[in-house]
């Protein structure tokens, strides 16, 4: 009767939430512009799937006491971000629903309050656009948290030898976050054993314009996340972990555009006293 409908506007008073809205009707025939748009959307989905395939996703709905998630299984390197090994949650851009120290707890998250969740950005755009290459949201909106690794951090590999060193494994857990997990995540790192945590945190909050005394470098490429699952990244896969052989003392976890994480787990070869002496000796050669 109204000549067809392409868009609808849902109004509710005074506020609140809606879980689903479903509309039935008869579709119009696809025009050339619609077909072109569908082709673009298909390309975006393929790119998004390729990024998601770079990690191994372990949904918590498929885990049990007999098939636990990867973080509950023994690993040959320690979880240096864990509070058990001296890890610390230092600072964040927003802690509306949680604090960074929750991210490094040893246990699985009890509920969403047991993680770190930020408030929704008030400047979210009305229309979300995606990068045609990555399939991720094209947005400057993000939040961050700084974690300090325990046991002195991660020792750097020496030269091109087969010696141990660096970050080998990263797990990002969105347990219990089913409708408010971040669209994507990335991790930067620094090696600042001679700087105070206050200096490191101040640099994390500032724009990276090259003037900071702290050198932040990429550790985990920005990648898509999914609901209520552990996302496992391995350096040996050679896909998402970059600069994995470098020494690391702190990491900056960035989420886009906002949302919640349950746990962040960084695994690697710890910096022991012996390693520290060897590094000083090599630096003088």
């Amino acid at each position: 009767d109204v000549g067809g409908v392409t868009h609808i506007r849902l109004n509710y008073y005074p506020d609140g939430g809606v879980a689903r809205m479903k509309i039935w009707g008869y579709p119009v025939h696809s025009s050339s512009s619609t077909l072109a748009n569908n082709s673009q959307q298909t390309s975006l989905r393929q790119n998004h799937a390729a990024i998601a395939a770079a990690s191994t996703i372990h949904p918590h709905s498929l885990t049990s006491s007999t098939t636990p998630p990867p973080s509950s299984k023994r690993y040959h390197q320690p979880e240096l971000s864990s509070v058990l090994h001296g890890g610390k949650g230092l600072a964040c851009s927003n802690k509306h629903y949680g604090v960074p120290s929750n991210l490094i707890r040893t246990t699985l998250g009890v509920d969403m309050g047991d993680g770190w969740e930020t408030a929704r950005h008030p400047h979210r755009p009305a229309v979300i656009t995606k990068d045609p290459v990555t399939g991720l949201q094209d947005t400057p909106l993000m939040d961050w948290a700084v974690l300090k690794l325990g046991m002195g951090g991660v020792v750097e590999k020496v030269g091109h030898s087969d010696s141990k060193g660096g970050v080998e494994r990263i797990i990002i857990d969105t347990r219990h976050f089913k409708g408010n997990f971040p669209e994507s995540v990335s991790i930067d790192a620094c090696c600042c054993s001679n700087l105070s945590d206050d200096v490191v945190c101040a640099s994390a909050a500032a724009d990276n314009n090259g003037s900071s005394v702290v050198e932040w470098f990429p550790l985990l490429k920005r990648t898509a996340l999914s609901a209520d699952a552990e996302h496992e990244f391995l350096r040996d896969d050679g896909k998402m972990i970059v600069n994995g052989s470098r020494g690391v003392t702190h990491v900056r976890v960035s989420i886009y555009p906002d949302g919640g994480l349950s746990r962040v787990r960084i695994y690697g070869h710890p910096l022991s006293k012996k390693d520290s002496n060897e590094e000083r000796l090599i630096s003088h050669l």
Side-chain angles (χ1 to χ4, degrees):
D1 293 339
V2 295
V5 174
T6 59
H7 301 73
I8 63 168
R9 181 179 65 191
L10 171 66
N11 303 307
Y12 53 88
Y13 307 88
D15 45 41
V18 174
R20 300 289 188 274
M21 181 173 65
K22 299 181 180 181
I23 298 175
W24 282 261
Y26 296 96
V28 297
H29 294 294
S30 298
S31 63
S32 59
S33 61
T34 301
L35 292 174
N37 183 63
N38 289 341
S39 176
Q40 183 182 18
Q41 292 299 319
T42 300
S43 177
L44 286 173
R45 286 194 295 270
Q46 290 173 343
N47 288 331
H48 190 279
I51 292 173
S55 67
T56 303
I57 301 175
H58 306 270
H60 284 288
S61 60
L62 302 181
T63 62
S64 65
S65 59
T66 57
T67 57
S71 66
S72 298
K73 301 176 183 178
R74 183 180 295 275
Y75 192 70
H76 66 276
Q77 294 290 12
E79 181 190 335
L80 297 180
S81 53
S82 171
V83 66
L84 181 66
H85 294 127
K88 296 180 180 180
L90 297 179
C92 62
S93 59
N94 185 286
K95 51 184 177 181
H96 191 68
Y97 298 109
V99 293
S101 58
N102 287 346
L103 296 174
I104 58 176
R105 291 184 173 182
T106 58
T107 58
L108 293 174
V110 177
D111 50 31
M112 288 186 293
D114 194 33
W116 170 62
E117 183 181 2
T118 66
R120 182 177 292 266
H121 278 289
H123 302 299
R124 277 196 175 200
V127 177
I128 297 176
T129 59
K130 293 192 174 184
D131 187 294
V133 176
T134 66
L136 300 174
Q137 290 185 20
D138 185 8
T139 175
L141 301 178
M142 52 87 73
D143 281 306
W144 55 265
V146 175
L147 309 177
K148 183 177 182 179
L149 304 187
M151 300 176 72
V154 179
V155 66
E156 184 173 1
K157 272 193 173 184
V158 179
H160 299 284
S161 67
D162 293 331
S163 62
K164 296 179 180 179
V167 173
E168 294 189 5
R169 183 197 199 198
I170 297 174
I171 292 179
I172 304 293
D173 191 358
T174 57
R175 181 176 173 85
H176 298 298
F177 291 96
K178 299 180 180 181
N180 49 352
F181 61 94
E183 182 256 2
S184 54
V185 65
S186 68
I187 298 180
D188 297 310
C190 67
C191 189
C192 298
S193 56
N194 296 324
L195 294 177
S196 70
D197 292 338
D198 289 340
V199 172
V200 173
C201 293
S203 71
D207 292 333
N208 190 9
N209 55 15
S211 61
S212 174
V213 295
V214 176
E215 178 195 359
W216 290 98
F217 54 85
L219 182 62
L220 180 69
K221 298 178 183 178
R222 183 178 169 186
T223 184
L225 294 177
S226 58
D228 192 39
E230 286 192 355
H231 306 72
E232 183 182 23
F233 305 89
L234 300 175
R235 185 178 70 188
D236 289 345
D237 288 345
K239 296 178 180 179
M240 302 306 293
I241 295 181
V242 293
N243 297 307
S245 62
R246 296 183 62 169
V248 175
T249 57
H250 302 72
V251 296
R252 177 178 58 192
V253 182
S254 300
I255 57 174
Y256 305 85
D258 44 46
L261 298 177
S262 180
R263 298 290 185 265
V264 174
R265 306 182 189 273
I266 311 291
Y267 300 80
H269 186 75
L271 178 65
S272 65
K273 185 175 182 180
K274 177 183 176 182
D275 294 324
S276 180
N277 291 335
E278 288 177 349
E279 282 191 335
R280 284 196 294 268
L281 178 60
I282 292 171
S283 65
H284 290 293
L285 294 180

